[in-house]
Amino acid sequence: MTCRNLLIYLKPETVQEVLSILYRSLRPGGFLLLGKSEPYQLEQQGFVAVSRRWNIYRKAGSVREPGTSGAARRSATTDDASAIAALRIAAEQSNVPSVLIDEECTILRATATPKGY
């Protein structure tokens, strides 16, 4: 999954939410590629650094979300709503073209950069 040069435009609390959504969206062992100007320490988010120089991370083991137990996980509907909300916020704040897809790679929502941007 690639999320390059998006997080730098978001508020810190929004960054944490987006990273949480990205973590839940990746399959175990999946990779997350961030932009060069996004030097986040993602080990606390459940990722292992593959290359800090290139900001490449791999999803490792499961990490509990703060304030939740193993039995009290979010539902898929809540995750989908959170992902759509995060995508909307990212698009509104940075005008970055983006695509939201499901596990079968079906496009759920797409936003484009306005002309002249």
Side-chain angles (χ1 to χ4, degrees):
M1 178 176 299
T2 302
C3 183
R4 297 179 53 86
N5 302 325
L6 165 69
L7 303 177
I8 58 175
Y9 296 103
L10 304 176
K11 296 177 184 175
E13 58 274 5
T14 306
V15 169
Q16 293 307 312
E17 180 66 22
V18 170
L19 289 173
S20 178
I21 291 167
L22 293 173
Y23 178 84
R24 291 189 311 265
S25 300
L26 281 172
R27 292 182 178 158
F31 291 90
L32 174 63
L33 289 73
L34 298 177
K36 191 172 186 177
S37 58
E38 296 172 315
Y40 298 101
Q41 298 297 320
L42 299 182
E43 286 76 11
Q44 297 85 12
Q45 298 285 341
F47 292 96
V48 173
V50 174
S51 171
R52 281 198 172 84
R53 178 179 181 201
W54 299 106
N55 285 337
I56 301 173
Y57 297 88
R58 184 177 49 80
K59 180 179 179 176
S62 62
V63 173
R64 283 194 342 200
E65 293 182 31
T68 64
S69 67
R73 303 250 183 239
R74 291 183 179 187
S75 68
T77 306
T78 303
D79 288 344
D80 292 344
S82 296
I84 291 170
L87 181 60
R88 186 180 320 109
I89 290 168
E92 289 170 357
Q93 290 183 2
S94 59
N95 290 325
V96 174
S98 54
V99 178
L100 177 65
I101 61 172
D102 63 14
E103 291 178 354
E104 288 80 35
C105 294
T106 303
I107 297 174
L108 302 175
R109 183 174 182 160
T111 59
T113 303
K115 286 187 174 189
Y117 181 72

